[in-house]
Amino acid sequence: MHQAPSTAVITGIGACLPPHVVDNDTVVARGALRTDDTWIRDRTGITRRRHADPGTSTGDLAVGAGRAALASAGDHRPEMLLLATSTPDHPCPATAPAVAHRMGLGTIPAFDISAVCSGFLYALATATALVRSATCSAVLVIAADTYTSIVNPADRETAPIFGDGAGAVLLAPGTRDEPGAVTAVDLGADGSGSDLITVPYGGSRHPHHMPLPQPDAHYFHMQGRTVYAHAVRRMTQSAGSVLRQADWAAETVRAFVGHQANQRILDSVGDRLGIAPAHRFGNIGELGNTAAASIPLVLADPAVHQAVAPGERSLLTAFGGGLTWASVALKWPAAVPWSEEPPAGLDTTPLCTPDLSRSHPWTASTTTS
């Protein structure tokens, strides 16, 4: 009789970033913002970010990251694809089936998960449950967002924060003591704060045929100060809960990766948990807030892999609109990250096998153009 695995293990890691690098001065000039480079750096820790070119969609980035993750994994082929995003290619249908089709994955089940910036960890938890139950032998989890498509370039509170990108991992059956093993999960949500992070216009509450409730209602809105307080509290509580589940002391964590929303939030959570600064990792300075993609893009960062040994105790935590939050205790993966640039144009031709020819091991130069 087949025995279900004790957990799911990350066997492949991929990334896809738009090549267009945008510094703070450019963001300020583009939106005629009443701010400057120093203010943005001091308030957020962000120096630059990637913007998708016109015509490049969330699905394009997802295809690139998914291909890279499969190239990293080598001989595993997914039986399901989960796409975490809050900027889908279309309101209907979901973007995931088209991504699977473009990757040449046939008719495997594929669906979107919308938990905003907590989306990757929600998808990771879902995929882990599917693998542990032996429902799927391998699940491809992709997180991709193009927030520049919904952010108002003239909004000083949001325009400097967001960048575009995608990250992906492949999960396969394994044991809790091997590198890449998902050890514990904590998820939560509080809909009473659903108005704190929102795009007010365009859904069934305010359909497109109705007048705009306010001139900029079709853009992303965030109540920054209130969100800051919620994020620090919820991420700290959730991370503490998952550490207790794993029976790990905070001082034994060797890699703390929080959602890359704001450097001050990350510092506050790390301080409250008692995790030393030397064990906190991120790339917010180079990539900004890439929403659901932020945590897998840190997992894919070659500089982080040089600093953390496979199998070391790692803590992932995120907070997003909904409100949603999530944390995962993880043994640091041994998989070598691969990367790929977004596909050129919309190619919907299915392939007999995934086209991995454009994927390559991710080097440090990938994020320093």
Side-chain angles (χ1 to χ4, degrees):
M1 181 176 179
H2 177 69
Q3 184 177 3
S6 63
T7 191
V9 174
I10 293 176
T11 61
I13 305 173
C16 182
L17 292 169
H20 187 198
V21 179
V22 180
D23 62 20
N24 288 339
D25 290 334
T26 302
V27 171
V28 171
R30 181 175 297 167
L33 303 178
R34 291 183 298 171
T35 185
D36 56 25
D37 173 70
T38 300
W39 185 90
I40 296 171
R41 289 176 187 246
D42 290 347
R43 297 265 302 204
T44 68
I46 299 170
T47 301
R48 52 187 181 174
R49 73 288 292 149
R50 302 293 184 97
H51 282 186
D53 292 328
T56 297
S57 74
T58 293
D60 297 332
L61 298 178
V63 168
R67 287 173 174 168
L70 295 188
S72 169
D75 59 355
H76 282 106
R77 183 179 177 89
E79 293 184 353
M80 182 176 290
L81 187 153
L82 308 183
L83 174 60
T85 186
S86 49
T87 56
D89 286 4
H90 308 280
C92 176
T95 304
V99 170
H101 172 78
R102 292 172 64 187
M103 289 182 63
L105 298 177
T107 59
I108 66 170
F111 59 93
D112 291 3
I113 290 181
S114 180
V116 195
C117 297
S118 303
F120 173 71
L121 295 186
Y122 264 62
L124 189 69
T126 302
T128 297
L130 290 166
V131 171
R132 287 186 63 186
S133 67
T135 302
C136 297
S137 65
V139 180
L140 179 60
V141 174
I142 307 174
D145 271 308
T146 51
Y147 261 61
T148 55
S149 66
I150 61 172
V151 166
N152 184 353
D155 182 359
R156 187 181 76 159
E157 299 300 320
T158 59
I161 296 174
F162 291 97
D164 303 327
V169 299
L170 185 72
L171 290 168
T175 61
R176 292 176 179 270
D177 58 353
E178 62 183 291
V182 177
T183 303
V185 171
D186 178 79
L187 305 174
D190 180 5
S192 68
S194 60
D195 62 332
L196 299 179
I197 300 172
T198 181
V199 178
Y201 187 70
S204 61
R205 179 67 63 190
H206 295 287
H208 285 292
H209 64 266
M210 294 177 61
L212 284 169
Q214 59 198 68
D216 61 348
H218 56 293
Y219 284 122
F220 175 87
H221 288 256
M222 180 171 64
Q223 298 181 34
R225 292 187 178 182
T226 305
V227 168
Y228 183 103
H230 275 282
V232 171
R233 179 165 64 93
R234 294 300 192 180
M235 289 168 72
T236 302
Q237 291 174 343
S238 178
S241 174
V242 88
L243 287 175
R244 288 190 294 273
Q245 288 184 53
D247 196 23
W248 293 355
E251 57 268 21
T252 68
V253 172
R254 290 297 173 262
F256 169 70
V257 179
H259 164 53
Q260 304 292 290
N262 180 297
Q263 188 60 53
R264 293 191 298 170
I265 291 176
L266 294 168
D267 291 341
S268 294
V269 174
D271 290 345
R272 293 185 181 204
L273 291 172
I275 296 175
H279 300 309
R280 306 174 193 174
F281 296 96
N283 50 24
I284 189 171
E286 295 294 318
L287 300 183
N289 180 347
T290 53
S294 77
I295 288 179
L297 282 172
V298 177
L299 292 179
D301 195 310
V304 181
H305 279 261
Q306 292 174 5
V308 186
E312 290 195 314
R313 293 180 175 181
S314 307
L315 173 63
L316 317 178
T317 186
F319 177 87
L323 300 170
T324 60
W325 55 89
S327 296
V328 169
L330 175 75
K331 297 293 185 66
W332 189 257
V336 176
W338 283 51
S339 69
E340 182 174 319
E341 289 194 357
L346 178 59
D347 178 12
T348 60
T349 304
L351 305 168
C352 294
T353 58
D355 178 11
L356 308 178
S357 61
R358 298 194 307 157
S359 302
H360 53 84
W362 194 9
T363 62
S365 61
T366 305
T367 58
T368 56
S369 58

